[in-house]
Amino acid sequence: MADKSLARTCAKLGIRLVHSAPYRPQGRGKIERFFNTVTSQFLGEITVTDTPMLPGTSPEAGSEVSSLQELNTLFTAWVNMIYHHTVHSSTGQTPLARWEASWEHRTPVSKPLEVIRQAFLWSDTRRVTKTGTVSLHSNTYEVDPLLAGTKVELVYDPFDLDGVITVNNHQGLPAGTAKPLDIGRHVHAKVTNAVKDNDTATNISTGINYLDLVATRHRESMTAAPISFADIHEQNINIRIQPKEESR
């Protein structure tokens, strides 16, 4: 059974969620192997810190990460520079080559960033009380009084239960937003548990900023201008060596 949030994301993005057959681990081999590769080659180089990493610093415990943005930057660089170009032992192809070959006679459909962001929000169904309030994860919110006694869908960011929560009526139509009244929990319980799991994890670091080096190579490959060897040759021709003045 898929997690409710995953099922919602796939439905919003038009992704068909395919499950492997029960009691047949062979069907999950590829994704399990990918997770193992990410854990051993990427996460093993990560050290979590509360202090943002300063440019030019070289922490002794590998690549220090203090935010999701930093983690995503390093992961994107690792995927593009290392994982995509490593030949798989079973397929004999790199992941990038195999992916590109699978699109023959097909065209990928790109979604706007806002559509993708909305798809990754979570949602829950609640019944509105007679006083026009709803309860969500130990918090109380106020909605349109006209919704009293009906069921509504609350769409929210699990990392920010204080933020904007969109309300849809029982027909799925927009019905305003939920106003916070009594907030006792600021993030979803699953988010809190994920942070605790991360705090208890221990990584053995090589002492080398491997991922920072990869990220630097990735930035250079995206922004560096091509070298004009013709211009270099022309500059060398125009160089004239001035003779030293004779000492008196």
Side-chain angles (χ1 to χ4, degrees):
M1 182 177 180
D3 182 84
K4 184 173 63 174
S5 60
L6 175 61
R8 179 183 184 275
T9 299
C10 291
K12 292 292 184 180
L13 297 178
I15 298 174
R16 184 165 60 96
L17 187 59
V18 180
H19 298 278
S20 61
Y23 309 109
R24 286 188 58 82
Q26 298 90 335
R28 297 184 292 273
K30 290 183 179 179
I31 191 62
E32 293 293 345
R33 184 65 181 86
F34 172 75
F35 289 153
N36 181 65
T37 300
V38 172
T39 300
S40 61
Q41 297 185 16
F42 176 75
L43 293 181
E45 297 289 338
I46 293 294
T47 299
V48 179
T49 177
D50 293 331
T51 305
M53 185 171 58
L54 298 176
T57 58
S58 300
E60 297 180 358
S63 298
E64 291 190 355
V65 173
S66 62
S67 67
L68 181 60
Q69 181 179 0
E70 290 180 4
L71 181 65
N72 284 336
T73 298
L74 292 176
F75 184 71
T76 300
W78 176 80
V79 168
N80 285 310
M81 303 301 295
I82 305 298
Y83 181 79
H84 277 173
H85 302 283
T86 302
V87 177
H88 196 280
S89 59
S90 298
T91 64
Q93 293 178 290
T94 64
L96 182 59
R98 192 168 181 83
W99 168 263
E100 291 177 343
S102 68
W103 284 107
E104 186 176 3
H105 307 304
R106 294 189 298 167
T107 302
V109 179
S110 299
K111 299 284 187 180
L113 291 179
E114 180 58 23
V115 172
I116 296 176
R117 191 190 74 82
Q118 290 292 332
F120 278 89
L121 297 177
W122 291 10
S123 70
D124 282 300
T125 301
R126 295 289 188 272
R127 183 175 293 276
V128 182
T129 65
K130 295 181 180 180
T131 57
T133 62
V134 291
S135 177
L136 179 68
H137 306 303
S138 303
N139 297 335
T140 302
Y141 302 88
E142 182 182 26
V143 299
D144 190 334
L146 294 177
L147 298 173
T150 65
K151 287 187 176 181
V152 296
E153 179 193 26
L154 304 176
V155 182
Y156 59 94
D157 182 350
F159 289 88
D160 184 17
L161 296 180
D162 298 326
V164 177
I165 296 181
T166 303
V167 181
N168 297 323
N169 63 19
H170 66 284
Q171 295 178 328
L173 300 176
T177 59
K179 177 182 177 181
L181 287 182
D182 184 13
I183 302 299
R185 184 187 295 275
H186 301 281
V187 297
H188 194 280
K190 287 186 178 180
V191 176
T192 304
N193 293 335
V195 173
K196 291 181 179 178
D197 291 341
N198 184 74
D199 290 340
T200 57
T202 56
N203 293 330
I204 300 177
S205 175
T206 60
I208 301 175
N209 263 351
Y210 166 71
L211 293 179
D212 292 337
L213 296 177
V214 172
T216 300
R217 286 174 50 199
H218 184 239
R219 286 194 301 269
E220 291 175 350
S221 69
M222 299 292 290
T223 60
I227 299 176
S228 174
F229 292 97
D231 293 341
I232 295 178
H233 180 66
E234 183 178 351
Q235 291 175 5
N236 289 338
I237 293 178
N238 293 331
I239 293 178
R240 296 292 183 269
I241 301 178
Q242 299 296 331
K244 296 181 178 180
E245 293 183 5
E246 296 181 359
S247 58
R248 298 178 180 178

